[in-house]
């Protein structure tokens, strides 16, 4: 007798992803559908001939790059670029110092502490900085910072506050690569007459550069997307950031009627996030390839 065909088995191509079906369904409903609605809304404007209907147009995107919306985007990009650059440099130096000590206990404490601080933020973080460095903050009064040009409620204040979670994030990203630099490589370079500076220029930097670059890209994206902490710190000061601009347009008030422009600004951020992710993943793969 010929064997009976099995009933109810998934095709071979689907068996490998059958366990992902709930996750994919959840993602499609709670991420895919809102994203589609966001993109569609970004292209809709009120029909001049019929105010009760909507038509497709690029006017919302034109508005998102001009006027106060364009200024907010440029300010956000500038703050994010400066904050990510500073955090990258300080994070790499801190990581190298931790690796150099060779203390296993310090490395474990750093890993745990970095994972906690990297996920810190929100109103509590902004309030902490206001208490310490605000107009009547502890350090402001102690060192008479109010007599200087520094203000926490400015771009410089945002950059300073962002370091609280950006530097730990950079430590988390760069530590595996920095720690994986083998002592044998340094010994071999020294045996061939290379100085420590030559080792880093010809061996160390090419190995860690992909990880550092991917970390910078990640920090830039995190800075650009920060909203709650920035809103709590400078939201009342009328500071122009793209995330605050979107929130203001969606909350009505003086920005009533600009909801679709806010959708266009959100699409711009989604595109920047996608480009950031596309740049981050290859750099991470290249970094892992060096150390495999």
């Amino acid at each position: 007798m010929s064997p009976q065909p099995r009933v109810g088995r998934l095709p071979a191509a689907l068996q490998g992803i059958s366990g992902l079906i709930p996750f994919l369904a959840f993602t499609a409903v709670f991420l895919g559908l809102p994203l589609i609605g966001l993109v569609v809304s970004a292209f809709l404007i009120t029909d001049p001939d019929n105010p009760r209907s909507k038509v497709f147009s690029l006017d919302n995107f034109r508005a998102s790059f001009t006027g106060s919306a364009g200024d907010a985007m440029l300010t956000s990009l500038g703050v994010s670029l400066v904050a990510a650059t500073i955090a990258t440099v300080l994070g790499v130096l801190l990581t190298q110092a931790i690796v150099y000590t060779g203390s296993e206990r310090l490395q474990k404490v750093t890993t745990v502490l970095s994972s906690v601080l990297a996920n810190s933020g929100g109103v509590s973080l902004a309030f902490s900085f206001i208490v310490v460095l605000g107009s009547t903050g502890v350090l402001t009064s102690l060192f008479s910072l109010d007599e200087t040009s520094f203000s926490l409620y400015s771009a410089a204040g945002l950059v300073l506050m962002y370091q609280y979670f950006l530097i730990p994030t950079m430590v988390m990203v760069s530590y595996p690569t920095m720690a994986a630099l083998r002592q044998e490589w340094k010994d071999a370079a020294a045996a061939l007459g290379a100085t420590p500076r030559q080792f880093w220029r010809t061996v160390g930097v090419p190995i860690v550069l992909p990880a550092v670059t991917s970390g910078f890209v990640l920090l830039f994206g995190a800075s650009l997307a920060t909203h709650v902490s920035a809103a709590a710190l400078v939201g009342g000061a009328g500071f122009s950031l793209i995330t605050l601009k979107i929130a203001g347009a969606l909350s009505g008030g003086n920005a009533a009627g600009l909801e679709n422009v806010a959708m266009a600004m959100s699409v711009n951020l989604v595109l920047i996030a996608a480009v950031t992710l596309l740049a981050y993943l290859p750099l991470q793969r290249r970094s892992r390839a060096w150390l495999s």
Side-chain angles (χ1 to χ4, degrees):
M1 293 179 61
S2 60
Q4 295 293 327
R6 297 184 180 181
V7 180
R9 285 194 61 141
L10 291 172
L14 296 179
Q15 291 180 12
I17 64 171
S18 58
L20 295 176
I21 291 178
F23 170 75
L24 294 176
F26 183 88
T27 303
V29 172
F30 292 98
L31 182 60
L33 292 180
L35 183 59
I36 293 174
L38 176 69
V39 174
V40 172
S41 299
F43 285 96
L44 293 178
I45 64 169
T46 303
D47 189 351
D49 300 326
N50 185 5
R52 295 185 177 182
S53 63
K54 300 284 187 178
V55 295
F56 282 89
S57 174
L58 294 176
D59 290 350
N60 294 326
F61 286 96
R62 295 191 186 98
S64 69
F65 288 107
T66 58
S68 59
D71 294 338
M73 176 62 80
L74 291 177
T75 301
S76 294
L77 292 174
V79 169
S80 301
L81 182 62
V82 174
T85 301
I86 295 175
T88 298
V89 174
L90 295 181
V92 169
L93 293 177
L94 178 59
T95 303
Q96 176 60 21
I98 295 170
V99 172
Y100 183 77
T101 62
S103 173
E104 185 176 351
R105 178 176 297 180
L106 177 61
Q107 293 171 6
K108 290 181 178 179
V109 171
T110 302
T111 301
V112 174
L113 189 61
S114 296
S115 63
V116 173
L117 296 179
N119 293 284
S120 302
V123 177
S124 59
L125 177 61
F127 179 73
S128 300
F129 271 82
I130 291 173
V131 170
V132 175
L133 290 170
S135 301
T136 57
V138 176
L139 294 183
T140 302
S141 302
L142 185 61
F143 295 102
S144 301
L145 296 180
D146 54 338
E147 299 178 1
T148 66
S149 60
F150 174 78
S151 173
L152 182 64
Y153 314 105
S154 63
L158 283 174
V159 170
L160 179 62
M161 183 180 67
Y162 287 176
Q163 303 309 307
Y164 188 87
F165 57 87
L166 291 183
I167 292 177
T169 302
M170 190 65 206
V171 172
M172 291 178 57
V173 172
S174 61
Y175 178 79
T177 302
M178 301 288 285
L181 286 174
R182 300 168 188 169
Q183 183 63 37
E184 293 85 351
W185 299 344
K186 300 178 182 179
D187 295 339
L192 294 174
T195 63
R197 180 177 297 180
Q198 289 173 328
F199 167 79
W200 279 106
R201 186 177 69 251
T202 59
V203 179
V205 171
I207 291 176
V208 303
L209 186 59
V212 173
T213 306
S214 65
F216 170 80
V217 172
L218 183 64
L219 300 188
F220 176 80
S223 302
L224 189 63
T226 299
H227 168 63
V228 178
S229 301
L233 185 66
V234 298
F239 196 81
S240 182
L241 287 177
I242 189 63
T243 52
L244 304 184
K245 200 72 177 177
I246 293 172
L250 293 177
S251 63
N254 295 331
L258 297 178
E259 292 82 1
N260 293 97
V261 177
M263 298 298 181
M265 290 188 285
S266 300
V267 171
N268 295 338
L269 286 183
V270 170
L271 293 176
I272 293 175
V275 172
T276 301
L277 183 62
L278 291 175
Y280 173 77
L281 293 177
L283 289 169
Q284 278 292 88
R285 286 196 297 267
R286 183 178 178 184
S287 177
R288 288 193 297 266
W290 270 105
L291 301 172
S292 60

